[in-house]
Amino acid sequence: MAGVSYYAAAAAGTGRPSVVQFGAAPNRSRWVSRTRLRRRNAGGRFGLDSNSELQVEEVDVKPSSGSMVEIELVATNTGSNLALHWGALQPGRSEWVVPPAGIRLPEGTIRTPDDAALRTPFKNSGSNSTLKIEIDNQGLESIEFVIVDEAQNKWFKNNGQNFQVHMRPPAGHHHQGQQHSATAGSIGRKNRDVMQLLSKNASTNDQVNKAAEATPSKCTVLDLFIKSLQEKHGSQVLCKKVFKLGEKEILALMSQVQGSTKVHLATDHVEPLILHWALAQKPGEWKAPPPGIVPAGSTLLEIACESPFSDAELNGLHYQVLEIELDDDSYKGMPFVLRSNQTWIKNSTSDFYLDFSRRTAKSSEVTLPFSFSPILAKNLLQKSSQNPMLIFFPCIKGTSDDSKGTAKALLERIADLEEDAQRSLMHRFNIAADLVDQAKDAGQLGLAGLLVWMKFMATRQLIWNKNYNVKPREISQAQDRFTDNLQSLYKMYPQHREMLRMIMYTVGRGGQGDVGQRIRDEILVIQRNNNCMGGMMEEWHQKLHNNTSPDDVVICQALMDYMNSDLDIKVYWDTLNKNGITKERLLSYDHPIHSEPNLKSEQKEGLLHDLTNYMRSLKAVHSGADLESAIGTCTGYTSESQGFMVGVEVNPVKGLPSGFPELLKFVLDHIEDKSVESLVEGLLEARAALRPLLLSSTERLKDLIFLDIALDSTVRTAIERSFENLNNASSEKIMYFISLVVENLALSTDDNENLLCCLKGWNHALEMSKHSDDQWALYAKAFLDRTRLALATKGEEYHDILQPSAEYLGSLLGIEQWTVNIFTEEIIRSGSAASLSLLLNRLDPVLRNVANLGSWQIISPVDVAGYVVVVDQLLTVQHKSYDKPTILVVEGVKGEEEIPDGVVAVLTPDMPDVLSHVSVRARNSKVLFATCFDPKILSELEQNEGKVLSLKPASVDISYREIPESELLVSSSIDTVDGQKAPSLSLAKKQFLGKYAISAEEFSDEMVGAKSRNIAYLNGKVPSWVSVPTSVALPFGTFETVLSDKINKEVSQKVKILTEKLDQGELGALSEIRNVLLNLTAPTYLVSELKEKMQSSGMPWPGDEGEQRWEQAWTAIKKVLASKWNERAYLSTRKVKLDHSNLSMAVLVQQIVSADYAFVIHTTNPSSGERSEIYAEVVKGLGETLVGAYPGRAMSFVCSKNNLESPKVLGYPSKPIGLFIQKSIIFRSDSNGEDLEGYAGAGLYDSVPMDKEEQVVLDYTTDPLVTDCSFRTSTLSSIARAGYDIEQLYGGSPQDIEGVVKDGKIYIVQTRPQM
């Protein structure tokens, strides 16, 4: 028992010399060897001695109870007599306590004589020793222990202190302390408002595109020179090259005009220049040109010629120029250098060289367009020799039309410089650094161009090195220069930070001085220390000395995997191949790697140790997302390992948050945990703590950006690693993981308000689920839909910004088309969005099942049969006419489309509102319209394309079967009723009755449409708690009279000409008519009459606020009148054979109610046809988001007419945007076709507010309609009751009603018969 007594003294803090401390090995505490632990699912990891480690992992045993945990200890490479000497700590106490009697303890556990501690033996497993402790953590803060080797009486502690494992808090709870609490088992997250992570810097795509159009790229004098050659002389440019001369440039190009071949050189260099040049018939040759072709003033030398440049000017810009006419087509190129006074100017350390072989070969008789780069020209000519048709029908894009939506000038500049960039990564990064300013000037599209170029490089689509010897430090310095420039943009342009992060991710950190040089020097130390001077190691050494690249990270990892697998050569090749490195690629290096590693087992330990350290050097230069090197760069480290760059030092970044280094250590300790929840929490806490520094002009900002990128990337890989463990996870667990990934995505996104609102929604859904709220699944489904919508919107944004640049630059550089096609998809896959999408897909069927939603939402229930046709967007086929009954399976439906002729069903995964325009159209046309929530069912339907199916909808399902065509012919008929053609509809043209404006008392059939008349009818009849806005109108005929007024003679003539074009089938005339009508001038009598009617009705007159306000109102009126000629409305009249000229437009004028909520009521449930049930949809803000094509779903509910106090919510809202407006006027379209039976023109024409609505990102977690059950029931009940009362006013006829809620009061803005 002497050992026990002695240990008690050590545990109390006396210490002893024989204790081996964690971190005793140099650099061990900072850098954890992933390779040695990579096959272990370790939590906290601690060094015991030079060969042994202790791994600690804490896992929940009974998550439901939240109190029982299991602690697993594994000691590696140890003796067989290890024991754990341990006890527990209670909160606020420092002395150990022993678990009470009756608690199950591990087998073999004994109590010390003083009952102050427990001693538990480890179990032996090969060279390892293992131990599991299961304990109830209620009332306990941590487990504390030391380890003893009883055979050797050797004690192991943690840096002189006891080891400690903090207990994980009960399930679902997170520490809310003010300090980061990093322990061996969990991380305490700060209690911060989610909206503190808000970033609203992004520009919309429209703004980006407008900015690019409004600010064309500034032409340089060299651009103007090329243009003048082509325009004035008709020159065909055969090849060209631009070289850097410090801050200036020199252009060298070969042209051909009228059979004459010339070389032109032009430069914006200021000092006078002499061209020292020659011609070459083979690479490397300098041969003096024939005397007959040298320019005037030249001096012929033995193997060269010297010719002076001449001064010239274009558009006031000075430049120097020289022209040489060639006499022979046998030359392969022109080498040259420049002389300014006595200073020689070269291309870096090489001669300049214009490669004539890049031009079009005469024998091929092929002319390549000027916009093709020399690289693409060569590719096309090579391919055309195998397939001559390629030149005449190239699949590769490269014309000016293909540059739309790109920073064209920048991309063409990149293409011009690509040949230079291929010399080495140093050249590429230096060129990229030079192009940063041009990219900045082009805005987001310019940065998109840089990203595309760097991504092509990173994915090995471009050559990294072409026989050019460059030192690693020169590469890292070039990277450093490029990323420094990106860092400057990051500081100055917050709206571009997301794009800049993506560029930096592809490039790697780089670094000045020793960071790159270590790659070159350390490999020699590795070879010397481990006696591996020949074979593969020497070939790799030669490659590293010549030109290091990101491939070296993979080669190093492959070597370590090879050694960890007991020298299994298959493992070496597996690692290489999985990362895109083949035997052919190894042989393609300037210093090829021919050999396989052939190492010995006695070299294993030393090599693993040294290569682990070496990997840090490689990743520090080449990796933008390596966590360990990023942490080391920010928190600082000193390399003290014997034989390795002794004294290399990186200082910590100043001003890191309190506790931040400990937080990062926690992350590294848990990097390979089998259960990733604590790891991801730690990563996100680190990102959130880092965020304030990233938003300021912090010293060494670049290092912090790379750390944030690495933390982001580690979240993604950790989440992906957890998928298998989530297979049988509870819905709460999946929702929690979704919330973590949404937070991570928000931290990487410039404009993240919508994502943060989604995050708040998921957190609220979790709380509802924990409290067994019976609405939790329905609520969570709304946020699942909203999150999916956010991902889709982000994907579209990336596609719009990046894909055009990928396609255009890809065409210029000859990138393989399959790579270009999936460019944006691969960008999205590399981030958290892909992981989030998978989690949402996993949760969706669970929520639908709990909420009893089924696989379908039936919007328009009709039994149909037809041929299956699959299309991408309904918008693209809305005006198509199908000649046989057609079932459309459609990927995207916005809500405002028309149903094409011949279509009997529209099935879509999209979720338009039940009361959207397209939904109403479907019901009016007796078309089956339904949303499918199950991707498997939708995929099965798509696989039936071309077949004839019979569809039968039920309440939440659709059954279908294949039928023979003969059965379809019997059961179906297009556009017929009882075998008769549907009759054409007619409209009586309305006449102007002498008044330009009328009050509601004057509304009649001859003056206004049904919209205005119904509002006048309701006024004074609705209950006192329902209000109807005051209204006036511009009656029928007003528009035609204004157009015929002499002050609008020119507009009238233009409209007449365009109408004739329209009658001849030129649909492009529609938009022209609308634009022309915006030039209408309001006659003075219209202005005076409208003013008098509005003021006498108690409405404000816009002109009282100034002439500009009246002009705003008049513009809105003109837009309403012009909407008669919108495409959808015009084609709808043609579809039912209405005479478009007979369609008359009145304008209903109402004061806008600044709504809290807007709603649409159908007093008969449109989905089921149930007359006793009211159906309604509600949105926050104005109703345009409900009736217009705004994405997401409204809140929907039904209410029995027999029990108006008990509305039932069918779905919570998922619309991300609400529209709000202060005091204003709205001008509503009111045509004589609005409610024409068989036409249903409602919603076809525009209603326009005088002022622009404000778009607000909606936070439903603070909306009482969503979160307050009592408020929700009261509000929805009032809406239902208003609908019921209005239906009664119309004798029980079903009504389609629009209204708003303001401060609890109901306002009805229109009603019409429900179609």
Side-chain angles (χ1 to χ4, degrees):
M1 302 306 293
V4 175
S5 302
Y6 182 84
Y7 177 76
T14 60
R16 57 180 293 173
S18 62
V19 171
V20 179
Q21 298 179 2
F22 168 54
N27 225 20
R28 191 59 169 276
S29 62
R30 183 67 59 190
W31 301 103
V32 179
S33 169
R34 280 188 179 178
T35 305
R36 297 180 66 181
L37 302 173
R38 68 193 304 267
R39 300 189 188 283
R40 305 170 188 147
N41 296 309
R45 297 189 292 271
F46 308 90
L48 297 179
D49 59 23
S50 59
N51 294 313
S52 303
E53 287 184 325
L54 175 68
Q55 303 168 12
V56 183
E57 183 168 352
E58 176 191 355
V59 297
D60 292 329
V61 175
K62 297 178 181 176
S64 59
S65 71
S67 62
M68 192 66 73
V69 296
E70 179 182 272
I71 300 169
E72 181 177 354
L73 307 173
V74 179
T76 64
N77 300 318
T78 58
S80 59
N81 297 98
L82 284 191
L84 189 78
H85 194 87
W86 62 287
L89 290 178
Q90 294 175 328
R93 300 180 62 182
S94 58
E95 66 274 12
W96 285 9
V97 296
V98 175
I103 294 294
R104 185 177 62 185
L105 296 173
E107 183 180 350
T109 300
I110 61 172
R111 293 172 182 263
T112 60
D114 56 3
D115 209 34
L118 299 173
R119 176 74 67 88
T120 304
F122 280 76
K123 290 184 177 180
N124 296 325
S125 176
S127 62
N128 296 341
S129 301
T130 64
L131 175 61
K132 290 183 181 180
I133 301 173
E134 187 177 310
I135 191 166
D136 190 325
N137 71 354
Q138 288 189 357
L140 299 180
E141 183 177 67
S142 60
I143 296 294
E144 203 167 80
F145 62 90
V146 290
I147 295 175
V148 58
D149 185 332
E150 295 179 317
Q152 302 182 47
N153 195 30
K154 190 174 182 180
W155 303 83
F156 300 95
K157 299 187 75 178
N158 179 16
N159 262 351
Q161 304 295 319
N162 299 334
F163 292 101
Q164 194 176 81
V165 178
H166 284 245
M167 294 296 194
R168 184 171 298 182
H173 175 74
H174 298 284
H175 292 300
Q176 302 297 326
Q178 290 305 304
Q179 298 295 323
H180 305 293
S181 174
T183 73
S186 62
I187 181 72
R189 298 209 62 184
K190 275 191 176 181
N191 184 18
R192 61 172 62 83
D193 181 0
V194 164
M195 299 312 289
Q196 289 179 0
L197 307 179
L198 179 65
S199 173
K200 297 182 72 171
N201 297 315
S203 301
T204 64
N205 289 354
D206 289 343
Q207 290 171 324
V208 170
N209 294 334
K210 286 176 183 174
E213 292 167 6
T215 313
S217 301
K218 184 178 179 182
C219 283
T220 67
V221 68
L222 301 186
D223 294 329
L224 296 173
F225 173 72
I226 296 174
K227 188 177 180 182
S228 70
L229 275 182
Q230 293 177 308
E231 292 181 352
K232 295 181 181 178
H233 308 294
S235 299
Q236 177 196 354
V237 177
L238 301 177
C239 62
K240 68 184 177 84
K241 188 76 183 291
V242 179
F243 303 94
K244 297 292 292 184
L245 302 178
E247 296 298 316
K248 303 297 182 180
E249 296 177 326
I250 183 167
L251 165 72
L253 66 82
M254 173 186 282
S255 73
Q256 192 170 58
V257 57
Q258 298 177 350
S260 176
T261 303
K262 297 180 180 182
V263 173
H264 308 266
L265 296 107
T267 177
D268 54 358
H269 194 274
V270 177
E271 300 296 327
L273 287 177
I274 300 294
L275 181 74
H276 185 90
W277 63 285
L279 294 170
Q281 291 180 322
K282 58 184 179 181
E285 181 181 44
W286 276 71
K287 184 176 181 181
I293 70 168
V294 299
S298 298
T299 302
L300 268 172
L301 306 175
E302 184 178 351
I303 60 169
C305 179
E306 291 196 340
S307 305
F309 281 78
S310 302
D311 289 331
E313 191 174 288
L314 274 172
N315 289 11
L317 299 174
H318 171 266
Y319 68 105
Q320 299 182 63
V321 66
L322 180 62
E323 181 181 294
I324 303 167
E325 185 169 346
L326 301 180
D327 65 338
D328 190 342
D329 201 34
S330 64
Y331 302 117
K332 302 300 182 186
M334 188 178 94
F336 65 93
V337 293
L338 301 166
R339 182 159 54 82
S340 177
N341 296 320
Q342 299 306 310
T343 301
W344 289 94
I345 302 172
K346 302 188 76 175
N347 184 20
S348 188
T349 58
S350 304
D351 300 333
F352 297 100
Y353 188 74
L354 179 62
D355 188 352
F356 296 167
S357 66
R358 298 286 179 185
R359 60 177 167 162
T360 305
K362 259 189 177 180
S363 59
S364 67
E365 297 184 354
V366 172
T367 301
L368 293 174
F370 161 63
S371 59
F372 283 11
S373 70
I375 291 173
L376 176 60
K378 183 178 181 182
N379 280 350
L380 273 178
L381 289 173
Q382 288 172 343
K383 293 174 183 177
S384 68
S385 65
Q386 301 164 354
N387 179 11
M389 296 304 290
L390 180 62
I391 290 296
F392 302 102
F393 304 101
C395 62
I396 299 175
K397 301 175 182 178
T399 66
S400 58
D401 290 339
D402 295 323
S403 65
K404 186 177 180 182
T406 73
K408 181 174 185 286
L410 173 68
L411 299 186
E412 292 178 350
R413 182 90 175 108
I414 288 171
D416 288 340
L417 295 169
E418 174 58 30
E419 186 179 2
D420 233 13
Q422 292 183 358
R423 296 167 73 183
S424 75
L425 289 176
M426 178 195 73
H427 290 83
R428 184 175 298 281
F429 293 137
N430 276 326
I431 290 170
D434 293 337
L435 292 174
V436 166
D437 274 346
Q438 186 178 349
K440 174 201 70 179
D441 293 340
Q444 192 166 21
L445 293 180
L447 296 176
L450 272 188
L451 172 60
V452 169
W453 187 36
M454 289 296 103
K455 190 69 174 176
F456 284 157
M457 178 271 296
T459 54
R460 303 190 182 96
Q461 296 298 312
L462 301 173
I463 295 171
W464 287 357
N465 181 259
K466 190 183 288 182
N467 198 28
Y468 194 92
N469 191 2
V470 60
K471 299 172 183 176
R473 71 164 172 263
E474 293 172 332
I475 294 176
S476 65
Q477 287 170 355
Q479 278 177 286
D480 203 46
R481 178 172 169 246
F482 180 31
T483 51
D484 275 347
N485 289 352
L486 297 175
Q487 172 188 254
S488 297
L489 295 189
Y490 189 96
K491 291 179 180 179
M492 292 186 293
Y493 300 98
Q495 69 271 29
H496 297 323
R497 284 175 176 164
E498 185 176 344
M499 189 72 70
L500 290 163
R501 280 170 51 92
M502 293 164 73
I503 299 171
M504 294 172 80
Y505 177 82
T506 66
V507 174
R509 185 180 299 102
Q512 290 285 356
D514 71 280
V515 178
Q517 186 59 27
R518 278 159 48 199
I519 292 176
R520 194 166 188 167
D521 295 343
E522 288 176 8
I523 189 64
L524 289 168
V525 179
I526 292 173
Q527 288 182 277
R528 185 173 61 247
N529 283 356
N530 296 281
N531 191 27
C532 50
M533 301 300 294
M536 178 267 168
M537 291 297 291
E538 177 59 24
E539 292 170 355
W540 186 33
H541 163 217
Q542 292 301 323
K543 184 236 183 260
L544 289 160
H545 267 238
N546 181 58
N547 204 303
T548 183
S549 70
D551 281 4
D552 295 314
V553 176
V554 181
I555 293 170
C556 187
Q557 186 64 56
L559 282 170
M560 291 191 290
D561 291 348
Y562 161 70
M563 287 180 284
N564 270 320
S565 66
D566 293 328
L567 309 181
D568 185 347
I569 197 65
K570 291 182 180 178
V571 173
Y572 169 78
W573 284 111
D574 282 347
T575 300
L576 290 178
N577 293 335
K578 286 175 184 176
N579 289 277
I581 298 181
T582 60
K583 288 183 180 179
E584 291 74 22
R585 184 164 182 83
L586 293 174
L587 293 173
S588 72
Y589 301 140
D590 291 336
H591 283 263
I593 298 176
H594 298 275
S595 307
E596 294 180 335
N598 185 20
L599 301 168
K600 299 176 182 178
S601 57
E602 55 265 29
Q603 296 172 295
K604 174 181 175 180
E605 184 175 353
L607 264 175
L608 273 175
H609 176 270
D610 291 352
L611 287 175
T612 297
N613 285 295
Y614 190 54
M615 179 68 94
R616 283 188 248 125
S617 298
L618 291 170
K619 288 183 174 180
V621 172
H622 293 303
S623 176
D626 177 65
L627 185 60
E628 292 181 42
S629 61
I631 289 175
T633 302
C634 291
T635 58
Y637 65 88
T638 300
S639 179
E640 300 168 350
S641 301
Q642 186 176 1
F644 273 89
M645 302 305 292
V646 176
V648 171
E649 188 171 315
V650 176
N651 295 320
V653 174
K654 296 177 182 177
L656 292 176
S658 173
F660 194 63
E662 292 78 14
L663 181 58
L664 295 178
K665 182 180 182 302
F666 171 88
V667 166
L668 282 179
D669 286 346
H670 289 259
I671 201 71
E672 294 186 11
D673 281 5
K674 186 182 293 184
S675 175
V676 303
E677 189 171 327
S678 292
L679 169 64
V680 175
E681 288 172 349
L683 290 163
L684 290 175
E685 185 61 28
R687 293 198 70 193
L690 193 60
R691 185 173 180 79
L693 296 179
L694 296 173
L695 301 180
S696 60
S697 296
T698 310
E699 181 186 357
R700 289 176 62 187
L701 176 61
K702 180 175 72 174
D703 291 333
L704 297 176
I705 296 170
F706 276 113
L707 174 57
D708 189 56
I709 289 171
L711 292 166
D712 176 13
S713 178
T714 309
V715 171
R716 178 179 59 81
T717 54
I719 293 293
E720 289 173 355
R721 196 168 77 235
S722 73
F723 283 155
E724 185 176 345
N725 294 335
L726 290 174
N727 281 338
N728 299 310
S730 67
S731 54
E732 282 186 18
K733 176 72 79 174
I734 298 174
M735 284 197 291
Y736 182 59
F737 268 78
I738 287 172
S739 73
L740 295 175
V741 184
V742 170
E743 181 179 353
N744 192 57
L745 195 58
L747 285 166
S748 304
T749 303
D750 280 343
D751 191 4
N752 66 3
E753 188 173 9
N754 185 30
L755 284 171
L756 292 178
C757 289
C758 288
L759 176 58
K760 293 182 72 175
W762 284 111
N763 290 339
H764 189 68
L766 272 167
E767 290 302 312
M768 292 174 69
S769 176
K770 288 173 184 175
H771 291 92
S772 301
D773 188 314
D774 61 2
Q775 295 283 295
W776 77 266
L778 203 59
Y779 178 90
K781 180 65 169 73
F783 276 94
L784 185 146
D785 293 340
R786 180 170 178 175
T787 307
R788 270 184 175 156
L789 182 58
L791 292 181
T793 302
K794 196 65 184 174
E796 290 172 7
E797 178 188 322
Y798 278 169
H799 188 276
D800 292 346
I801 293 171
L802 298 177
Q803 195 61 30
S805 293
E807 291 174 0
Y808 189 56
L809 185 60
S811 72
L812 295 176
L813 299 180
I815 302 297
E816 292 183 84
Q817 194 62 40
W818 69 268
T819 302
V820 172
N821 292 342
I822 64 170
F823 183 86
T824 303
E825 181 183 338
E826 289 303 306
I827 289 285
I828 294 170
R829 285 181 185 276
S830 66
S832 296
S835 300
L836 180 55
S837 181
L838 289 172
L839 288 171
L840 296 174
N841 290 343
R842 187 167 292 187
L843 182 63
D844 192 1
V846 176
L847 296 181
R848 285 191 282 108
N849 181 54
V850 174
N852 297 313
L853 294 177
S855 299
W856 293 87
Q857 180 179 23
I858 314 299
I859 298 170
S860 172
V862 184
D863 290 3
V864 299
Y867 293 87
V868 176
V869 174
V870 180
V871 298
D872 183 48
Q873 297 291 322
L874 184 59
L875 188 67
T876 60
V877 296
Q878 64 174 335
H879 299 308
K880 185 174 180 178
S881 183
Y882 292 91
D883 57 4
K884 51 189 177 183
T886 299
I887 297 168
L888 287 183
V889 181
V890 187
E891 179 65 29
V893 177
K894 301 296 184 185
E896 285 199 324
E897 302 92 337
E898 292 295 315
I899 304 292
D901 284 344
V903 168
V904 296
V906 177
L907 310 176
T908 177
D910 225 334
M911 293 174 287
D913 292 307
V914 173
L915 302 183
S916 66
H917 174 81
V918 70
S919 301
V920 173
R921 285 281 184 230
R923 288 191 291 269
N924 290 346
S925 304
K926 300 296 185 287
V927 169
L928 171 60
F929 188 28
T931 293
C932 181
F933 298 117
D934 190 330
K936 292 182 180 178
I937 295 176
L938 204 67
S939 177
E940 289 171 3
L941 286 166
E942 289 173 347
Q943 291 169 16
N944 281 289
E945 185 166 21
K947 297 179 181 177
V948 180
L949 298 184
S950 170
L951 308 179
K952 292 187 178 296
S955 58
V956 291
D957 198 8
I958 293 179
S959 61
Y960 65 90
R961 63 185 178 89
E962 186 176 357
I963 61 173
E965 285 186 291
S966 57
E967 187 175 335
L968 173 66
L969 294 173
V970 171
S971 63
S972 300
S973 178
I974 302 299
D975 287 334
T976 63
V977 178
D978 296 329
Q980 301 297 316
K981 283 281 184 183
S984 299
L985 302 177
S986 62
L987 278 175
K989 188 175 181 65
K990 299 293 185 178
Q991 302 300 316
F992 180 61
L993 298 181
K995 293 184 177 182
Y996 289 91
I998 57 175
S999 63
E1001 293 77 18
E1002 300 172 273
F1003 291 177
S1004 68
D1005 287 0
E1006 296 304 314
M1007 302 284 275
V1008 292
K1011 188 181 296 182
S1012 299
R1013 298 196 309 274
N1014 287 335
I1015 281 295
Y1017 175 76
L1018 290 178
N1019 203 10
K1021 296 184 178 64
V1022 292
S1024 59
W1025 50 273
V1026 176
S1027 293
V1028 178
T1030 303
S1031 305
V1032 300
L1034 303 177
F1036 292 141
T1038 301
F1039 163 69
E1040 289 80 4
T1041 304
V1042 169
L1043 183 61
S1044 64
D1045 193 289
K1046 60 184 179 181
I1047 62 173
N1048 291 311
K1049 182 178 179 180
E1050 185 177 344
V1051 174
S1052 179
Q1053 289 174 340
K1054 289 181 179 178
V1055 170
K1056 183 179 179 181
I1057 293 169
L1058 290 170
T1059 302
E1060 290 172 355
K1061 283 186 177 181
L1062 186 61
D1063 291 341
Q1064 294 167 7
E1066 296 185 33
L1067 295 181
L1070 288 167
S1071 62
E1072 293 184 65
I1073 292 174
R1074 294 198 301 275
N1075 289 332
V1076 167
L1077 290 176
L1078 294 181
N1079 296 316
L1080 280 172
T1081 299
T1084 54
Y1085 29 89
L1086 181 150
V1087 178
S1088 60
E1089 285 191 33
L1090 181 58
K1091 178 180 179 180
E1092 187 274 325
K1093 291 297 182 184
M1094 289 180 69
Q1095 289 180 332
S1096 63
S1097 299
M1099 297 174 68
W1101 171 243
D1104 288 343
E1105 301 174 46
E1107 184 62 26
Q1108 181 186 358
R1109 293 290 288 163
W1110 159 246
E1111 286 302 324
Q1112 279 182 252
W1114 177 236
T1115 298
I1117 292 170
K1118 289 185 287 187
K1119 287 180 179 179
V1120 175
L1121 297 171
S1123 70
K1124 174 181 174 179
W1125 282 270
N1126 76 58
E1127 284 79 2
R1128 188 160 57 93
Y1130 177 78
L1131 291 169
S1132 292
T1133 59
R1134 221 170 59 165
K1135 183 176 178 179
V1136 294
K1137 300 180 176 61
L1138 274 177
D1139 187 342
H1140 185 259
S1141 62
N1142 285 344
L1143 190 125
S1144 299
M1145 186 74 72
V1147 180
L1148 176 63
V1149 184
Q1150 294 178 320
Q1151 190 169 359
I1152 289 180
V1153 178
S1154 182
D1156 299 324
Y1157 305 100
F1159 58 81
V1160 173
I1161 306 168
H1162 278 197
T1163 59
T1164 291
N1165 188 330
S1167 296
S1168 64
E1170 180 57 58
R1171 294 288 299 266
S1172 66
E1173 194 171 64
I1174 289 172
Y1175 175 90
E1177 293 181 342
V1178 187
V1179 294
K1180 195 166 178 62
L1182 299 178
E1184 180 59 24
T1185 60
L1186 181 54
V1187 298
Y1190 283 77
R1193 298 291 289 272
M1195 173 178 276
S1196 58
F1197 73 95
V1198 291
C1199 192
S1200 170
K1201 293 175 183 176
N1202 297 322
N1203 186 7
L1204 295 171
E1205 302 299 321
S1206 302
K1208 178 186 176 183
V1209 175
L1210 300 179
Y1212 284 93
S1214 61
K1215 287 184 181 291
I1217 296 296
L1219 298 179
F1220 296 85
I1221 201 168
Q1222 297 305 312
K1223 183 180 178 183
S1224 189
I1225 303 293
I1226 188 167
F1227 302 91
R1228 299 181 181 275
S1229 59
D1230 190 23
S1231 75
N1232 60 340
E1234 290 272 323
D1235 298 304
L1236 181 66
E1237 188 174 353
Y1239 173 53
L1244 289 176
Y1245 307 99
D1246 295 343
S1247 295
V1248 184
M1250 190 174 84
D1251 297 282
K1252 187 173 177 58
E1253 306 98 328
E1254 179 189 5
Q1255 287 198 1
V1256 175
V1257 178
L1258 298 175
D1259 179 4
Y1260 292 115
T1261 65
T1262 61
D1263 181 359
L1265 192 67
V1266 174
T1267 61
D1268 186 331
C1269 182
S1270 176
F1271 177 86
R1272 179 170 62 247
T1273 299
S1274 172
T1275 302
L1276 300 187
S1277 180
S1278 295
I1279 291 171
R1281 187 179 296 107
Y1284 176 77
D1285 288 347
I1286 290 171
E1287 184 184 60
Q1288 295 307 302
L1289 289 175
Y1290 284 90
S1293 173
Q1295 294 294 297
D1296 175 352
I1297 304 164
E1298 294 180 22
V1300 300
V1301 181
K1302 174 65 175 175
D1303 296 330
K1305 190 172 181 64
I1306 304 293
Y1307 294 80
I1308 301 300
V1309 298
Q1310 76 176 64
T1311 186
R1312 56 176 170 254
Q1314 180 178 332
M1315 305 296 289

